[in-house]
Amino acid sequence: MRKALTICILLAHCFSFAQEKEDVKVGLVLSGGGAKGLAHIGALKVIEDAGIEIDYIGGTSMGAIIGGLYASGYRARELDSIFNVLDFETLIQDQVPRGTKTFYEKDDSEKYAITLPFDDFKLTVPSGISKGQNVYNLLSKLLLHVKDVNDFSQLPIPFFCVATNIETGQEVILDKGYLPRALTASGALPSLFQPVTINDTIYVDGGVVNNYPVDEVLAMGADIVIGVDVQDELRDREKLKSGVEVLVQINNYRTIRDMEGKKEKTDIYINPSIDDFSVVSFDEGRQIILSGETAAEELRNKLESLAARQVKKKGKSIPFVNKNSLYIKDVFIYGNEEYTRSYVLGKLKLKTPSEITYEAFSNGVNNLSATGNFDGIDYKFVEDPDNTGEYSLEFYLRESESRTLLRLGAHYDDLYRSAALINITQKRLLTNNDVASLDVGIGDNIRYDFEYYVDKGFYWSVGLRSSFNIFNKDVAIDFILEEENIPDTADVNEINLEYDDFTNQLFVQTVFQRKFLLRLGAEHKWLRYLSRTIGIDENNLPRTVFENTNYYSTYGVLKYDTFDNTYFPKRGFYFEGDLHWYLFADGGNKSFRPFSIGKAQMAYAHSFTPKLSAVLRNEGGVKFGNRFTRSLDFFVGGYGFRRLNNIVPFYGYEALSLRGDTYLTTSLTLDYEIFKKHHISVAGNIANVGDALFENGEWIDGIDYSGYAIGYGLETILGPVEVKYSFSPERDTDEWYVNVGFRF
């Protein structure tokens, strides 16, 4: 009898256990919330640790991004590692590392503070701060292992995300297509990211219509729903400090009301305490992830109880593609009607077949995006079925209809003084791939710079440039003692020099090995400088004209530039060599004979720590042939101005203080970034400047000139703001330099 009772008890336990171990389908809902969505990672870590297997995932915005990655096979701690090392500022703002830009884009991006569409002379504002290209590039890399999965129900965990059709305002469930593009569409937060186009439909953030898709997860077949809600509560006026936060607040009116019913449909509701964070608090990601972990930990008992009811099963797995580079055998480009294949590949810096790193490829895509010529850049890696590890690239481009830009800037330095910059840029003016740009500087000195350029990528491109520059500078009388027209009776120590330069160039250029620029051209230069301080000219005007001549030359330039920052470089190498051969002259220079000027500069930047860096720079120049033409001598001294002709900066001296047909300089700058974008620098430079230094051996007989400087610099939207104090032992005096804004 006792044995029979024992057997009955055991059978009852087995029956009870079998009843508890039912095939419970668990669905996961991840809400949108911008940066606050990083809390999903922390919650997922606890859900995993509790032993729960997720059967379905639905997400919106950041919840879609985290959920899509998790559904593709990533585990919570892998996501934690990925998101902890991301530079969100670079990711969101589509910043392209300077060292990877083409030479034209480098020059173009370091001159203007504001760029606005200006078609039909009407100013418009971009639909978002960022195109989201960096986000798309990252997701394409992370999701390469599921590149061929077009039905999201076939992912290791069936998945969908929510987006909003911006034209109709309707909710759209994205459960098919190319997963990286679907995720960027769901996360296109209005005003922060531009809308995303998929199959001619324009989408924005799904949180506009459904920020917590619990009904849709239930419809997938979920028996139990776990929800992680990172949506905002209503904020008071003190916390509404940005346009993005105001838009989120407006949307919150509806979502908070909707959540009253959605909470009741959620079996395990995880609501992290994240009121102190905003949708753009990406710099506080570590704390946000921890808040999600803490909130889920409070419900661990419920999570473990649910895990105990599940029947464990072996889910689908897809091998990850663990490569830092890809072998690209071919590129197929679709949608490029106005811009040629060579133009696109040139901006991508991509030649096939070749192996390219993900980083270099992503930078190339961003460089193409930064041209502003494309509203959409989609691409997909297609693996060769016959050659594993070799890929073709399919690019789908949507060209921008905008062709005219208005761009603005401002600058001050001690040579050109103050100026406001107005630029009009017209794309596709005469042909595909061309751009015409006119800069007009208005201020103490009127200047202009016009360029027309037909960009053919890796092939030979053609350009035309015309510019006019003028400045006034007080110089010592010794500076022009050797000029022919100086009056013998001049009894002054210093004169005011007016310097005019009008230059026209026709050139061709190409890029080779993806890094070097070679430019060949012909140049006309009208050069005049005079002083109204002394003398009377032939027209009985109170001035002395020292130079008034047209020069005609051919020239070549070789350039290499991988600096990560023009003004505060931390890494990279820079080289520029320039050779001008002056063949003819017409005007005041009666003693002209052909001559050449060669000059070169190279610099190396290195970081010792994330904050401390050094730049070593060497440069020099020499004139060959006719020494009677002195107006194109090297004029050395000053800081902060854009270089013109042979005017060379040098600490410790005013601009145009030193003069000769040969110069050599070496400088070392130490830069310490005390706070983000705030720099303290210490610099020293030495030089030899004079005539025929190589012929008489004076270039190595000692150091003639030296100078030292200490300064503060700040990176701003206008460009660098710098103040430097400098001192020269030879002069036993000091100089202050002030530089504000991008140089032009």
Side-chain angles (χ1 to χ4, degrees):
M1 183 68 179
R2 183 177 296 174
K3 287 184 178 179
L5 182 61
T6 301
I7 292 171
C8 289
I9 292 172
L10 289 173
L11 288 174
H13 272 290
C14 290
F15 180 76
S16 174
F17 184 77
Q19 284 289 96
E20 290 179 3
K21 284 289 183 179
E22 52 187 320
D23 188 15
V24 177
K25 299 293 185 182
V26 178
L28 177 65
V29 180
L30 302 177
S31 78
K36 296 188 295 182
L38 295 174
H40 294 317
I41 297 173
L44 281 169
K45 289 165 68 175
V46 177
I47 291 171
E48 274 186 10
D49 291 345
I52 291 177
E53 293 183 358
I54 302 298
D55 296 287
Y56 310 105
I57 300 177
T60 299
S61 194
M62 183 59 86
I65 293 173
I66 302 297
L69 291 169
Y70 194 77
S72 77
Y74 286 96
R75 300 298 87 192
R77 281 170 175 77
E78 291 174 320
L79 294 178
D80 193 10
S81 299
I82 291 169
F83 281 85
N84 262 323
V85 298
L86 288 179
D87 180 351
F88 282 99
E89 181 177 350
T90 299
L91 189 71
I92 293 172
Q93 295 182 6
D94 283 343
Q95 293 179 359
V96 183
R98 182 186 180 277
T100 63
K101 294 180 182 178
T102 65
F103 289 93
Y104 186 88
E105 267 68 43
K106 286 174 185 173
D107 293 340
D108 203 46
S109 64
E110 294 165 354
K111 194 185 297 185
Y112 312 108
I114 299 172
T115 298
L116 296 170
F118 195 52
D119 295 282
D120 300 323
F121 299 97
K122 296 179 181 178
L123 280 176
T124 56
V125 178
S127 55
I129 297 172
S130 168
K131 292 183 179 180
Q133 194 65 54
N134 266 336
V135 176
Y136 182 71
N137 294 343
L138 174 66
L139 293 174
S140 293
K141 176 184 176 181
L142 295 176
L143 296 169
L144 186 62
H145 62 292
V146 293
K147 65 184 184 308
D148 297 323
V149 178
N150 295 314
D151 184 343
F152 302 165
S153 67
Q154 300 304 308
L155 291 168
I157 302 174
F159 169 78
F160 74 86
C161 59
V162 181
T164 304
N165 183 325
I166 194 173
E167 294 179 295
T168 65
Q170 293 180 334
E171 171 186 346
V172 179
I173 300 299
L174 300 177
D175 56 6
K176 291 181 175 62
Y178 188 50
L179 184 56
R181 181 50 71 194
L183 299 183
T184 54
S186 180
L189 185 65
S191 80
L192 182 60
F193 292 109
Q194 293 185 12
V196 173
T197 301
I198 302 177
N199 298 328
D200 293 326
T201 302
I202 305 174
Y203 296 102
V204 293
D205 194 311
V208 174
V209 289
N210 186 353
N211 208 27
Y212 189 85
V214 63
D215 292 320
E216 290 75 12
V217 169
L218 286 168
M220 294 178 81
D223 301 310
I224 300 294
V225 173
I226 301 172
V228 185
D229 183 9
V230 295
Q231 301 175 86
D232 270 320
E233 297 294 331
L234 293 180
R235 293 171 171 257
D236 59 29
R237 68 185 70 180
E238 299 298 327
K239 295 182 179 180
L240 296 174
K241 297 181 179 180
S242 72
V244 172
E245 290 172 340
V246 170
L247 286 174
V248 171
Q249 175 90 333
I250 294 171
N251 192 55
N252 283 344
Y253 301 146
R254 180 190 52 77
T255 58
I256 290 173
R257 182 179 65 250
D258 291 346
M259 280 305 299
E260 294 176 3
K262 290 183 177 183
K263 281 183 184 179
E264 297 177 1
K265 300 175 183 178
T266 305
D267 298 282
I268 301 178
Y269 179 71
I270 303 173
N271 186 211
S273 177
I274 47 178
D275 289 342
D276 293 335
F277 307 106
S278 74
V279 293
V280 291
S281 297
F282 290 100
D283 57 336
E284 299 177 277
R286 182 68 263 161
Q287 292 87 349
I288 296 174
I289 291 174
L290 182 60
S291 69
E293 198 169 341
T294 301
E297 194 66 49
E298 294 173 357
L299 299 170
R300 179 178 280 272
N301 290 338
K302 285 188 176 182
L303 294 171
E304 290 178 345
S305 296
L306 175 58
R309 297 172 56 191
Q310 287 187 289
V311 176
K312 304 304 178 185
K313 48 195 175 293
K314 185 176 178 61
K316 291 184 296 183
S317 64
I318 301 176
F320 286 93
V321 180
N322 296 316
K323 293 182 178 180
N324 290 321
S325 62
L326 292 176
Y327 185 83
I328 307 298
K329 59 182 296 184
D330 205 351
V331 179
F332 301 95
I333 303 173
Y334 306 97
N336 58 318
E337 298 178 0
E338 302 289 348
Y339 295 95
T340 63
R341 173 183 174 86
S342 62
Y343 174 86
V344 174
L345 293 179
K347 297 301 179 186
L348 291 170
K349 295 186 178 181
L350 183 60
K351 286 188 174 182
T352 56
S354 66
E355 186 160 332
I356 186 170
T357 65
Y358 277 112
E359 182 180 9
F361 172 74
S362 296
N363 289 334
V365 173
N366 278 349
N367 193 50
L368 181 65
S369 177
T371 64
N373 296 328
F374 302 95
D375 287 337
I377 301 175
D378 292 347
Y379 57 85
K380 187 175 183 179
F381 296 99
V382 180
E383 190 167 13
D384 190 329
D386 300 322
N387 296 288
T388 303
E390 296 186 4
Y391 295 83
S392 294
L393 257 177
E394 294 180 356
F395 266 93
Y396 302 90
L397 305 177
R398 189 162 48 87
E399 295 177 338
S400 172
E401 296 180 0
S402 177
R403 298 172 57 180
T404 309
L405 300 174
L406 173 66
R407 304 196 275 195
L408 306 173
H411 180 75
Y412 174 85
D413 63 63
D414 297 315
L415 183 61
Y416 292 101
R417 303 296 176 179
S418 61
L421 176 64
I422 301 174
N423 168 273
I424 296 291
T425 296
Q426 179 68 45
K427 302 176 182 179
R428 306 198 298 273
L429 179 65
L430 301 178
T431 184
N432 292 346
N433 303 357
D434 75 354
V435 58
S437 175
L438 175 64
D439 288 340
V440 178
I442 302 173
D444 292 317
N445 296 289
I446 303 296
R447 294 175 281 158
Y448 87 84
D449 191 345
F450 171 80
E451 184 171 24
Y452 176 77
Y453 184 61
V454 182
D455 192 338
K456 296 187 177 181
F458 287 112
Y459 299 102
W460 285 97
S461 303
V462 181
L464 170 68
R465 185 176 182 183
S466 177
S467 64
F468 176 74
N469 288 275
I470 182 173
F471 62 80
N472 291 272
K473 181 74 177 67
D474 291 336
V475 300
I477 192 69
D478 295 343
F479 186 80
I480 42 83
L481 276 178
E482 297 186 29
E483 302 291 345
E484 296 180 3
N485 296 323
I486 185 170
D488 296 332
T489 57
D491 185 20
V492 292
N493 294 321
E494 193 174 71
I495 64 171
N496 181 266
L497 191 71
E498 180 182 310
Y499 190 101
D500 301 335
D501 174 276
F502 175 55
T503 300
N504 301 288
Q505 296 175 330
L506 178 64
F507 61 89
V508 295
Q509 71 179 38
T510 187
V511 176
F512 58 96
Q513 294 185 355
R514 300 177 181 167
K515 297 178 180 179
F516 291 91
L517 177 144
L518 176 63
R519 177 181 295 177
L520 303 173
E523 177 184 273
H524 158 255
K525 181 181 292 293
W526 172 68
L527 190 61
R528 183 184 72 169
Y529 57 90
L530 57 87
S531 176
R532 303 180 193 278
T533 306
I534 56 175
I536 303 294
D537 70 4
E538 65 275 10
N539 298 318
N540 204 32
L541 295 174
R543 65 180 188 178
T544 297
V545 178
F546 303 109
E547 170 64 292
N548 185 8
T549 304
N550 292 283
Y551 293 96
Y552 302 89
S553 65
T554 61
Y555 71 96
V557 175
L558 179 64
K559 195 171 183 180
Y560 176 89
D561 182 3
T562 60
F563 269 6
D564 61 337
N565 187 299
T566 300
Y567 303 100
F568 307 100
K570 292 185 176 180
R571 66 187 64 87
F573 184 81
Y574 180 90
F575 172 82
E576 182 174 0
D578 182 298
L579 178 63
H580 270 67
W581 184 17
Y582 292 90
L583 300 170
F584 309 101
D586 174 45
N589 187 350
K590 304 302 182 183
S591 59
F592 176 85
R593 293 199 307 272
F595 65 95
S596 299
I597 293 179
K599 55 185 177 181
Q601 57 174 310
M602 54 185 171
Y604 173 68
H606 176 74
S607 290
F608 301 102
T609 72
K611 290 183 174 292
L612 178 63
S613 59
V615 180
L616 177 65
R617 187 183 300 271
N618 293 284
E619 61 178 288
V622 62
K623 182 191 294 183
F624 305 95
N626 176 25
R627 296 190 180 281
F628 295 102
T629 299
R630 303 302 310 270
S631 53
L632 286 166
D633 279 355
F634 298 101
F635 302 158
V636 180
Y639 176 80
F641 50 84
R642 186 180 185 186
R643 294 195 180 201
L644 173 67
N645 295 332
N646 299 320
I647 302 176
V648 180
F650 189 75
Y651 292 125
Y653 289 78
E654 289 188 52
L656 283 68
S657 292
L658 308 174
R659 178 175 182 172
D661 64 19
T662 310
Y663 86 103
L664 294 166
T665 70
T666 296
S667 68
L668 176 64
T669 302
L670 295 176
D671 182 280
Y672 187 78
E673 191 172 9
I674 51 175
F675 308 110
K676 188 174 183 179
K677 298 186 178 181
H678 292 258
H679 301 259
I680 295 293
S681 63
V682 178
N685 54 199
I686 56 176
N688 282 347
V689 184
D691 295 334
L693 295 184
F694 290 107
E695 296 178 14
N696 55 34
E698 294 181 0
W699 67 284
I700 56 172
D701 65 349
I703 297 173
D704 295 334
Y705 307 102
S706 64
Y708 307 92
I710 182 170
Y712 164 78
L714 172 65
E715 298 176 66
T716 74
I717 189 174
L718 291 175
V721 176
E722 297 179 280
V723 179
K724 291 180 181 283
Y725 169 81
S726 70
F727 176 83
S728 171
E730 296 82 30
R731 299 176 63 210
D732 194 25
T733 188
D734 53 17
E735 296 289 339
W736 284 92
Y737 307 123
V738 178
N739 169 50
V740 178
F742 295 119
R743 297 168 192 171
F744 56 81

